[in-house]
Amino acid sequence: MKVEKLIIYGFGRHENRTIELNKPIAVFYGMNEAGKTTIQQFILQMLFGFSARSQPHKRYEPKAGGKYGGQLHVSDPVYGQVVIERIAGKSAGDVRVWFEDGRRGSEVELAELLRGYDKASYQAIFSFSVHELQNLDQMTEQELTRTLLSSGTAGVDHAGKMESQLEREMAELFKKAGKLPLINRLTEEVRELETALREYKQRAETFRPTTERLELIKQRLAEVDHAERVVIQDINEAEKWQQSAPLILKQHQFENILEKGPVDFPESGIRQYERLLDQHNELLAESAFLKNEIGRLEPVGELPETGALSDLLSREAEWHQINSSLNAKQEERRRLQDEVGRLLKLCGMTQEQALLADASLEQEERLKMVLEKLQIAEQEQAFQQRRLSEERERLAEAEYAFKRYLEAEPPEEERKRAEQWAEIKPQLAMEKQQKRQEGTAASNRTAQFLLGAIGIIGLALAVISLDAFTGLLSILALGAALWLWLRDKKSPNDTTDDLVERYGGQEAEYEALLTKLAEYDKGLDERFDAIEASKRKIASLPQIDSHKELREYREFLESLGFPEESSRATILTLFDKLRDVHAATGRLERLFEDIEKLQGEQQEWLTQAQHACGKAVSTSTVISLLRAEWERRSQKLEHAEKTIEKTEQLEQQARKCEESLAKISSAKNEVFERAAVADENSFYRAADLAQQVRSAQEQLAMVQSQLAAIGKVNKPEALVEEESAQSFLDDSRQKLVELQEERHSLWEEQAEKLQLTKHLLTDEGHSMKLQELEVKKAEFQEAAKEWAVNRAIVEVFKQTMDELKETKLPAVLELSEAYFSQLTGGEYMRLLLSQEGHFEALRRDGLRFRVIELSQATKEQAYLALRFALASSLKESHPFPIIMDDPFVHFDRLRSQQVIKLVEELQRDHQFIYFTCHETMRHAWPDAQQIDVANPERSIQA
């Protein structure tokens, strides 16, 4: 089967494209993302169906919409020309098949055409890429052997995959040293359940001792509760007595203080007096501070004037405008002066000469006209000079050719031989003619005698018979005989054969010599004529002179003032520069007037500023001096105003302080009268006494409330001193803790025993464990059964593999050995399968290497050899095209050449479709069809 045409309706990035494949090898070339894999998948999916909808990235549906699918035109040795069309529909697409005989079909007919192969089977044999070759280096020996075996035997790949799957499932069921497999876990769980059942049996034997211990614990708990109540009552009485004893002592002390009687003192008198005292001190300090501040203030003198300064500063923008304009004008003047100087240097004139020169448009037009005339004259002169030079070169060439031709002149001897031949040629011809006549002379004599005899006989007969006609014929015969005799008599008899012998047979040589000399003379005449023609042409060329135009041009330059040596290429530019000199000079005159005016305004401004400041100013410092002077005067005015305002404020605050001091003194006297004291010391003593009485009253109330909260307290009989009470409490508390700990221990033991007995009476765990054990045993049996079935299937697969190795593999191996030897350049002679089932390579020196020991490239060569051998063995039953996605790109140059050569040999029996992004592989097969994937205009190539 060969793919002849691809018609893509819409598939991935390709849309409305037709690609014809008309050679055994088709190379699809394009950079990454160009769409090579898309076309590869288009071929596979047209044959075997679109990918599942759950994998949209593999379906290559057009992102921009449009018709999805396409056609594949194939040629099959059995079915002939077939068209396969697959478009969107069900998940795998709707397929239609047209056969050469007019039949139509669908999936069933397509399956027949594909010989029952599915996509996986096809890719396992007829399609591979560089990724499969790269993965060989990461495989174990068993995986590598299985891959090579599947590459060399049809169907082994599926069997190998199923065997690997079953081995993985068996490993998930059981491993000798594993813990996670199902059978291993079930074994451990059954062992744990049996241990738990044994523990249940042991616990059942402890029921009676547990019930007896529970009764003893109950009795001991009652005893502990009674002892704990007694100890707690003793602790409470001792604690109440210990708490109330210091409170009773304090109660007696406070009652003794209150017996002195109350004191009539204001409740907040001390706080009020101290507040008034603080205010009095603050006002005294403030009054002294105000007086000091008033004395420190400076006297205010004469106030300065700032009106003129303010006016000038308000006009600061005007000053800056004047300076800016003046600087700009001066800068422009300097620039124009520099520009005029530069232009004058370019023109090669002084300023007076430039200003006197006429730079009008009329002069410019005249200059252009003169320059144009000069250029035209010089161009014509140059043209004539060039023609004259060319003709002289031709004359020199003709003379050189004539000289060389003379060197080849034939020798004088040949020319003499030719002249002799010209003279001898007629004589030689004549002698040959005479010789031919002499050759015929003998025959002429016989004819003479016969004619004479016939004439005489005839004449006699005519006389006898009186026959005039016979007589006439006889006379004619005699006349002819007489003529022949006379002709032979005229031929020279002394002619010799010297010329014939000397020049006979050399006529062609002498004729060739004559032809050679004639051709030489003709060529000589032609070259001589060429020399004469060149001389005549040189003499006929007109002499053109441009001195007149040049003189006119120089006179015009002199009239303009330009030097005569001025370049004609830049003269128009110099004329423009001269005009720029005139324009710049006019602008300079106007600038001088503007600068003079601005300088006058600037000087007037400086005079006003100097008068306002009262000091000398300059152009650079006038604004800063005005601003500094204005700020100084403004600060002086502001300081004077602040001083006056502050003096008034301080005097007002001083008056308020005096009034407040008087009020505070009156308030202090009122506080002394209320406390019934005369001075400050008596006031503080009365305040301390009143504070003690109030504190005793408050603390007595607190003590009495605490005693009431404690209640009636009787001193225990066992207590005599405070130390013995504390010791009694410590002992009682320690005893209480011991009782509580014992009770908690008994409770824990009681709960444990109760739980145990209850569990033994109501626990169904034993039966549940038995049931669970039976379930686990059943699961174990099922898993063991499944493992045994898988094991049996694996053994069947192994036997099948052995049969395949013995039946189908030898033929493929024999062919693959030839391919492998060719790919390795004869380095390895054979590809063998050992008794252990591992592939081995036999090197030409007799050494054997397991495939796992070979280099990555050699492994790939073995893989390719087996793939190609299997495809070749199936060419009759499954004549499918071989699709390759850059599998040789990592080979070195030698290996690439070997595999390219092998593909060229196999193309007689197989169609190869090769996808690559590398320029070297693109041209690997010169006769292959090259298809640029990214260029739609080059999609169809013959």
Side-chain angles (χ1 to χ4, degrees):
M1 178 192 297
K2 292 185 178 180
V3 178
E4 296 183 344
K5 184 188 291 185
L6 284 70
I7 301 178
I8 304 176
Y9 303 154
F11 196 82
R13 65 183 299 163
H14 300 295
E15 185 176 0
N16 297 328
R17 295 188 65 176
T18 300
I19 304 174
E20 294 185 359
L21 307 181
N22 45 34
K23 291 191 177 182
I25 300 179
V27 179
F28 285 82
Y29 170 76
M31 295 292 100
N32 293 332
E33 301 294 331
K36 302 185 298 299
T37 304
T38 305
I39 293 179
Q40 179 191 15
Q41 288 298 315
F42 173 80
I43 297 173
L44 294 175
Q45 295 192 25
M46 286 298 102
L47 293 173
F48 301 104
F50 299 138
S51 298
R53 298 187 190 276
S54 59
Q55 298 176 324
H57 61 285
K58 295 183 178 180
R59 287 177 63 84
Y60 295 91
E61 295 186 26
K63 295 293 184 183
K67 192 172 182 180
Y68 175 43
Q71 287 186 3
L72 210 62
H73 292 230
V74 300
S75 174
D76 189 86
V78 177
Y79 297 93
Q81 299 292 329
V82 182
V83 178
I84 304 169
E85 181 185 54
R86 192 181 294 272
I87 57 176
K90 56 186 179 180
S91 178
D94 294 338
V95 64
R96 288 182 292 180
V97 184
W98 289 271
F99 292 93
E100 187 176 17
D101 57 4
R103 291 188 300 117
R104 293 188 179 185
S106 58
E107 292 286 357
V108 176
E109 288 74 15
L110 180 59
E112 293 178 0
L113 176 66
L114 297 174
R115 278 71 172 178
Y117 266 48
D118 58 5
K119 185 176 182 180
S121 301
Y122 181 89
Q123 288 181 318
I125 301 174
F126 299 98
S127 176
F128 53 92
S129 67
V130 66
H131 303 293
E132 297 178 26
L133 300 183
Q134 289 177 335
N135 291 335
L136 296 177
D137 195 40
Q138 303 174 1
M139 295 182 179
T140 63
E141 184 174 9
Q142 184 177 1
E143 292 172 343
L144 184 58
T145 300
R146 183 176 297 162
T147 301
L148 293 176
L149 189 61
S150 63
S151 300
T153 310
V156 173
D157 188 30
H158 293 296
K161 290 181 180 177
M162 187 172 293
E163 180 184 357
S164 300
Q165 178 65 26
L166 291 173
E167 288 180 349
R168 285 195 296 271
E169 292 178 0
M170 290 169 60
E172 292 175 359
L173 290 173
F174 175 71
K175 286 183 180 179
K176 290 184 177 180
K179 293 183 178 180
L180 297 179
L182 180 60
I183 294 177
N184 298 78
R185 287 189 282 108
L186 290 173
T187 303
E188 186 64 26
E189 289 175 2
V190 168
R191 187 181 294 111
E192 291 176 356
L193 288 173
E194 291 176 348
T195 303
L197 288 173
R198 286 194 296 271
E199 292 177 356
Y200 272 110
K201 184 176 180 180
Q202 292 175 357
R203 285 200 298 270
E205 296 174 355
T206 61
F207 180 76
R208 183 173 179 181
T210 302
T211 54
E212 294 176 353
R213 177 58 183 167
L214 282 173
E215 189 63 28
L216 294 175
I217 291 172
K218 184 177 180 181
Q219 294 176 2
R220 179 57 186 165
L221 283 173
E223 295 173 356
V224 170
D225 287 340
H226 179 267
E228 187 176 0
R229 285 196 296 272
V230 173
V231 172
I232 290 173
Q233 183 178 359
D234 292 342
I235 290 173
N236 290 336
E237 290 180 355
E239 287 179 347
K240 289 173 67 177
W241 172 253
Q242 192 177 24
Q243 291 176 1
S244 60
L247 294 175
I248 293 171
L249 180 60
K250 287 183 180 180
Q251 183 179 9
H252 293 317
Q253 292 174 354
F254 292 143
E255 288 175 351
N256 291 333
I257 293 173
L258 293 175
E259 286 179 357
K260 297 179 181 179
V263 178
D264 189 9
F265 189 84
E267 183 176 356
S268 59
I270 190 66
R271 289 195 300 274
Q272 186 178 2
Y273 178 76
E274 289 179 349
R275 185 169 61 251
L276 291 173
L277 187 61
D278 292 339
Q279 292 176 0
H280 183 268
N281 294 332
E282 289 176 359
L283 288 172
L284 287 176
E286 184 178 358
S287 178
F289 173 75
L290 292 173
K291 290 178 181 179
N292 185 30
E293 287 295 317
I294 293 171
R296 290 174 58 189
L297 292 175
E298 298 178 358
V300 179
E302 183 181 358
L303 298 178
E305 191 273 333
T306 60
L309 292 172
S310 299
D311 180 60
L312 287 173
L313 288 173
S314 65
R315 293 163 52 203
E316 181 181 355
E318 178 184 347
W319 165 256
H320 289 304
Q321 180 64 31
I322 292 171
N323 284 335
S324 176
S325 299
L326 181 59
N327 292 334
K329 298 289 184 182
Q330 291 174 343
E331 179 63 28
E332 187 177 0
R333 180 183 63 185
R334 288 191 294 272
R335 185 181 60 78
L336 284 174
Q337 288 174 344
D338 295 341
E339 181 65 17
V340 169
R342 185 181 67 82
L343 293 174
L344 290 173
K345 288 181 180 179
L346 290 175
C347 294
M349 301 179 180
T350 62
Q351 189 169 4
E352 291 76 10
Q353 292 175 340
L355 294 176
L356 290 174
D358 185 4
S360 62
L361 292 175
E362 181 181 358
Q363 289 292 93
E364 184 180 3
E365 290 299 326
R366 184 181 171 191
L367 174 61
K368 290 180 180 178
M369 183 177 65
V370 171
L371 186 61
E372 184 178 0
K373 287 172 62 178
L374 177 59
Q375 289 175 348
I376 291 172
E378 289 180 344
Q379 287 176 359
E380 290 180 354
Q381 183 179 358
F383 176 72
Q384 294 299 334
Q385 291 292 338
R386 188 164 57 254
R387 289 185 59 191
L388 180 59
S389 177
E390 291 175 356
E391 289 301 329
R392 286 176 177 170
E393 288 178 0
R394 291 194 188 97
L395 177 58
E397 291 175 358
E399 291 177 345
Y400 178 73
F402 184 76
K403 183 179 179 182
R404 292 294 302 273
Y405 197 76
L406 286 175
E407 293 177 357
E409 182 180 7
E412 186 66 25
E413 182 183 353
E414 291 184 357
R415 190 171 292 277
K416 289 180 179 179
R417 289 173 61 195
E419 292 175 356
Q420 292 175 359
W421 173 252
E423 296 174 357
I424 293 171
K425 183 179 179 181
Q427 299 176 8
L428 182 62
M430 186 179 294
E431 289 184 1
K432 286 184 177 181
Q433 181 64 26
Q434 290 176 359
K435 203 159 186 177
R436 283 195 297 272
Q437 291 177 359
E438 290 176 359
T440 58
S443 60
N444 288 340
R445 292 190 189 96
T446 304
Q448 290 173 13
F449 290 130
L450 289 174
L451 287 174
I454 291 172
I456 293 172
I457 296 171
L459 185 60
L461 289 174
V463 172
I464 295 172
S465 61
L466 298 176
D467 187 0
F469 181 73
T470 305
L472 180 61
L473 291 176
S474 301
I475 293 171
L476 290 175
L478 290 172
L482 181 61
W483 179 78
L484 290 173
W485 179 78
L486 292 175
R487 189 190 65 180
D488 294 337
K489 186 177 181 181
K490 290 180 181 179
S491 298
N493 297 322
D494 55 351
T495 301
T496 62
D497 297 334
D498 294 341
L499 289 176
V500 176
E501 294 176 357
R502 183 176 179 183
Y503 295 100
Q506 299 182 12
E507 293 86 347
E509 180 182 351
Y510 281 98
E511 288 297 329
L513 180 60
L514 286 174
T515 303
K516 176 182 176 182
L517 291 173
E519 290 177 354
Y520 176 80
D521 293 339
K522 181 181 179 182
L524 189 64
D525 293 339
E526 289 175 354
R527 284 160 178 75
F528 185 77
D529 292 342
I531 293 172
E532 293 299 322
S534 295
K535 288 181 179 180
R536 288 193 299 274
K537 197 166 186 179
I538 290 172
S540 65
L541 289 176
Q543 298 295 326
I544 298 175
D545 192 1
S546 62
H547 291 297
K548 179 182 177 182
E549 288 80 1
L550 181 61
R551 183 170 59 257
E552 182 182 359
Y553 169 71
R554 288 177 176 174
E555 290 174 355
F556 188 74
L557 287 183
E558 185 177 358
S559 67
L560 292 176
F562 289 114
E564 291 184 0
E565 63 273 9
S566 299
S567 173
R568 277 177 280 169
T570 59
I571 191 63
L572 292 175
T573 305
L574 292 177
F575 192 86
D576 291 338
K577 301 300 181 185
L578 179 60
R579 187 176 294 159
D580 293 341
V581 169
H582 287 194
T585 304
R587 176 62 180 160
L588 276 173
E589 293 174 357
R590 292 191 296 275
L591 282 176
F592 276 115
E593 295 174 359
D594 295 342
I595 289 171
E596 186 177 355
K597 181 180 177 181
L598 289 172
Q599 287 176 344
E601 293 177 358
Q602 186 185 56
Q603 188 60 38
E604 181 182 355
W605 224 90
L606 289 174
T607 303
Q608 293 178 6
Q610 184 173 355
H611 178 72
C613 289
K615 61 177 74 173
V617 296
S618 63
T619 304
S620 60
T621 61
V622 59
I623 296 299
S624 60
L625 288 174
L626 286 174
R627 190 175 288 112
E629 184 64 22
W630 181 83
E631 289 179 356
R632 187 183 67 78
R633 294 183 183 184
S634 298
Q635 289 175 0
K636 189 173 181 181
L637 282 174
E638 185 178 358
H639 181 69
E641 291 174 357
K642 288 182 178 179
T643 302
I644 295 171
E645 182 180 0
K646 189 172 183 181
T647 302
E648 293 175 355
Q649 291 176 354
L650 291 174
E651 290 176 351
Q652 184 179 2
Q653 291 177 1
R655 288 193 298 271
K656 289 182 179 180
C657 283
E658 294 296 333
E659 293 175 358
S660 298
L661 283 172
K663 291 179 181 179
I664 288 174
S665 298
S666 176
K668 285 171 63 178
N669 293 330
E670 290 179 1
V671 171
F672 285 162
E673 290 177 358
R674 288 172 56 191
V677 295
D679 54 12
E680 184 176 347
N681 293 331
S682 301
F683 181 80
Y684 277 114
R685 286 196 297 270
D688 291 340
L689 183 59
Q691 180 65 28
Q692 290 177 4
V693 171
R694 283 196 294 272
S695 177
Q697 289 176 347
E698 293 174 357
Q699 292 184 11
L700 180 60
M702 291 176 60
V703 169
Q704 288 176 349
S705 65
Q706 291 177 1
L707 289 173
I710 293 173
K712 184 178 180 181
V713 179
N714 295 320
K715 184 177 180 181
E717 297 179 356
L719 295 180
V720 179
E721 297 178 355
E722 185 177 355
E723 290 76 7
S724 60
Q726 184 63 39
S727 176
F728 178 77
L729 282 173
D730 293 340
D731 294 341
S732 298
R733 287 170 181 163
Q734 180 65 31
K735 186 175 180 181
L736 180 61
V737 169
E738 293 175 355
L739 291 173
Q740 290 175 348
E741 289 178 352
E742 184 181 0
R743 184 177 66 246
H744 284 300
S745 177
L746 291 172
W747 280 351
E748 291 177 357
E749 186 180 358
Q750 184 183 33
E752 182 182 354
K753 299 298 183 182
L754 288 173
Q755 181 67 23
L756 179 59
T757 55
K758 182 178 179 181
H759 183 71
L760 291 173
L761 292 173
T762 61
D763 187 19
E764 297 179 356
H766 185 265
S767 59
M768 292 177 64
K769 292 292 182 181
L770 286 174
Q771 184 178 359
E772 186 177 358
L773 179 61
E774 294 300 325
V775 171
K776 293 298 180 181
K777 287 182 177 180
E779 292 178 0
F780 180 84
Q781 292 175 356
E782 289 294 329
K785 182 179 179 181
E786 182 179 356
W787 184 87
V789 170
N790 290 343
R791 182 65 181 177
I793 295 173
V794 168
E795 292 298 327
V796 171
F797 276 139
K798 289 182 178 180
Q799 293 177 4
T800 304
M801 292 282 287
D802 293 338
E803 292 177 1
L804 288 174
K805 292 177 186 178
E806 295 175 359
T807 56
K808 296 184 178 180
L809 188 59
V812 176
L813 278 178
E814 182 179 357
L815 187 58
S816 66
E817 285 178 356
Y819 292 164
F820 186 54
S821 177
Q822 181 177 350
L823 289 176
T824 58
E827 181 68 18
Y828 291 91
M829 305 301 296
R830 298 190 63 188
L831 194 62
L832 308 171
L833 192 63
S834 65
Q835 295 181 354
E836 294 79 9
H838 298 303
F839 273 96
E840 294 180 349
L842 178 63
R843 205 164 63 182
R844 60 184 175 184
D845 58 2
L847 293 178
R848 288 194 177 194
F849 296 90
R850 293 192 299 177
V851 175
I852 196 67
E853 298 173 341
L854 299 176
S855 65
Q856 171 68 11
T858 310
K859 292 178 189 174
E860 295 174 4
Q861 289 176 326
Y863 181 81
L864 290 174
L866 286 167
R867 273 290 183 96
F868 287 150
L870 180 57
S872 298
S873 66
L874 297 174
K875 65 182 179 181
E876 300 297 334
S877 59
H878 301 81
F880 296 144
I882 298 176
I883 301 175
M884 297 181 290
D885 187 4
D886 248 350
F888 320 135
V889 69
H890 295 301
F891 282 9
D892 56 27
R893 184 177 60 84
L894 181 59
R895 286 188 171 94
S896 298
Q897 291 176 351
Q898 291 165 348
V899 74
I900 289 169
K901 183 178 179 182
L902 179 58
V903 171
E904 288 178 349
E905 295 176 0
L906 294 177
Q907 69 175 339
R908 295 190 297 269
D909 301 321
H910 298 277
Q911 181 187 23
F912 287 88
I913 302 176
Y914 192 90
F915 295 87
T916 183
C917 63
H918 296 84
E919 191 71 21
T920 54
M921 295 307 300
R922 178 184 183 182
H923 301 288
W925 297 278
D927 297 334
Q929 180 182 2
Q930 296 183 11
I931 301 171
D932 191 345
V933 176
N935 190 351
E937 297 179 357
R938 299 177 62 190
S939 296
I940 305 174
Q941 296 190 3

